[in-house]
Amino acid sequence: MIPKIIEGGSFSDHRGTISYVNDFSFVGIERFYIISNSSENPIRAWQGHKLDSKNFYCLNGSFNIHFIKIDNWENPSKDLLIETVFVSESDSKIVHIPAGYANAIESLEAGSKLMSFASLPLSGVSEDDVRYPSNYWSIDG
């Protein structure tokens, strides 16, 4: 499976605005959380997942979501291609990162909030989560 963007939309009238991503399926989603990076550390990097897939939706502000396909979990190459998707509160899209990738979440504005939907139950996270130093791959940003 490859990363993908699931596009949504929004509807506005005199009552306000509804944002939606109707093509996103919650089948297989086990949990969710909201990420708010600190202004001192606007980049949360690098978390790899052998089994867990992640789905990101921007609630407030904006983010760059960086991701890398891991070639070797114990000693990944330093020259792997970093792909980046920009999301903002005005977008209505979900970025799906399948298992087998590491990601880095970069806040671009103060007060930015990102919702993450995860496919692995909390009981399996400790065997799945692989952390790399934040400077293992360089993010130009």
Side-chain angles (χ1 to χ4, degrees):
M1 185 173 269
I2 61 171
K4 64 181 177 180
I5 296 172
I6 305 165
E7 295 288 349
S10 64
F11 172 79
S12 297
D13 65 13
H14 68 281
R15 299 169 292 175
T17 301
I18 295 174
S19 297
Y20 55 86
V21 184
N22 290 339
D23 292 333
F24 179 69
S25 172
F26 283 88
V27 173
I29 299 300
E30 292 287 334
R31 56 198 167 83
F32 78 92
Y33 48 95
I34 296 173
I35 299 168
S36 298
N37 292 341
S38 70
S39 56
E40 299 81 25
N41 296 295
I43 299 176
R44 182 181 299 261
W46 287 94
Q47 295 81 228
H49 303 281
K50 298 176 187 177
L51 305 171
D52 197 6
S53 64
K54 300 291 185 182
N55 300 278
F56 299 107
Y57 182 84
C58 184
L59 297 171
N60 292 344
S62 61
F63 291 85
N64 277 331
I65 300 171
H66 308 280
F67 51 94
I68 295 174
K69 175 74 172 149
I70 299 297
D71 60 349
N72 178 316
W73 289 102
E74 289 74 35
N75 188 25
S77 300
K78 293 278 209 164
D79 61 350
L80 295 175
L81 174 67
I82 298 174
E83 298 183 69
T84 302
V85 175
F86 171 81
V87 296
S88 76
E89 65 184 76
S90 62
D91 294 334
S92 191
K93 65 184 175 189
I94 291 177
V95 178
H96 171 77
I97 310 293
Y101 284 77
N103 66 66
I105 306 303
E106 179 183 9
S107 301
L108 300 174
E109 303 173 44
S112 294
K113 291 184 187 245
L114 189 71
M115 182 172 267
S116 176
F117 302 97
S119 65
L120 194 65
L122 195 56
S123 61
V125 169
S126 63
E127 295 94 41
D128 180 62
D129 196 36
V130 180
R131 306 261 171 162
Y132 300 102
S134 61
N135 62 352
Y136 197 88
W137 295 281
S138 176
I139 300 170
D140 298 322

